[in-house]
Amino acid sequence: SRTGIPAPSLPLYTMKKILLLSDTHGTLDAAILRHAREADQIWHAGDIGSMSVADGLAAVAPLRAVYGNADGGEIRAVFPERLRFVEEGVEVLLKHIGGYPGHYDRSVQEELFAAPPTLFVCGHSHILKVMMDRRLGVMHFNPGAAGRYGIHHVRTLLRFTLDNGKIDHLEAIELGPRAGW
């Protein structure tokens, strides 16, 4: 700088397109891959179902994932039960079983209340849900279920951007009916 004082170092952010899915239960088909190819990162909130699904997603874009209650030992050996990280200035907590605002699972309550992230992501319910927990100041995302196994009728996922600490351009995507293999 002109004054001889170095300019402060600021984090450099570049917008990231995130594809968020959960509960694939072994399903990785053209509908999922079409959206995965548009993402800068893929996040999977558990019940992946097989390493071939994880490997297929990771071949398309960097994958962050946690294991779910239906995942076996091979997946549990590779992915953690919970994952906490910062991406583009947004602090994220990712866990398969987490509940939702006002009804958080006991396994995450202490962490959420002690150190609330900006975004809490979970799966498990097979119900797409986006909510703001105003009490904690936490945004909550559950992408529903992208797979063909479970109680849901329509396969869903979420797509959004992260940019300079902001979550933006959120889209709920329907992949079609669960049935019809």
Side-chain angles (χ1 to χ4, degrees):
S1 80
R2 249 181 222 185
T3 63
I5 300 170
S9 173
L10 299 174
L12 297 176
Y13 295 109
T14 56
M15 183 181 71
K16 292 263 173 48
K17 292 182 254 177
I18 308 298
L19 179 70
L20 173 60
L21 66 162
S22 183
D23 297 278
T24 48
H25 292 281
T27 300
L28 182 60
D29 59 10
I32 294 171
L33 287 171
R34 179 174 54 252
H35 296 288
R37 286 186 191 102
E38 298 173 5
D40 295 316
Q41 289 184 17
I42 301 167
W43 300 352
H44 198 301
D47 279 357
I48 299 164
S50 71
M51 281 306 298
S52 64
V53 169
D55 292 342
L57 292 170
V60 174
L63 174 66
R64 294 184 193 257
V66 294
Y67 70 76
N69 61 300
D71 286 322
E74 185 179 19
I75 291 171
R76 289 172 186 242
V78 174
F79 299 105
E81 178 185 18
R82 71 180 66 206
L83 189 59
R84 194 167 186 138
F85 58 94
V86 176
E87 186 64 51
E88 297 302 314
V90 175
E91 187 173 6
V92 180
L93 175 60
L94 180 64
K95 186 175 184 303
H96 182 61
I97 298 175
Y100 56 94
H103 302 279
Y104 291 118
D105 188 77
R106 283 183 294 207
S107 66
V108 294
Q109 284 179 0
E110 186 176 327
E111 183 174 359
L112 283 173
F113 289 102
T118 309
L119 174 61
F120 176 52
V121 175
C122 65
H124 186 63
S125 70
H126 291 224
I127 299 168
L128 187 144
K129 197 174 281 199
V130 173
M131 301 174 70
M132 182 67 183
D133 183 337
R134 298 201 186 286
R135 189 170 106 197
L136 295 178
V138 172
M139 180 59 76
H140 167 77
F141 288 175
N142 183 324
R148 297 189 182 277
Y149 171 80
I151 62 166
H152 59 287
H153 296 286
V154 177
R155 300 168 55 216
T156 59
L157 47 81
L158 290 172
R159 179 171 50 198
F160 55 96
T161 61
L162 298 178
D163 189 15
N164 199 23
K166 289 188 266 183
I167 304 165
D168 208 354
H169 302 102
L170 176 64
E171 299 175 78
I173 298 171
E174 293 186 353
L175 300 175
R178 174 179 58 88
W181 305 52

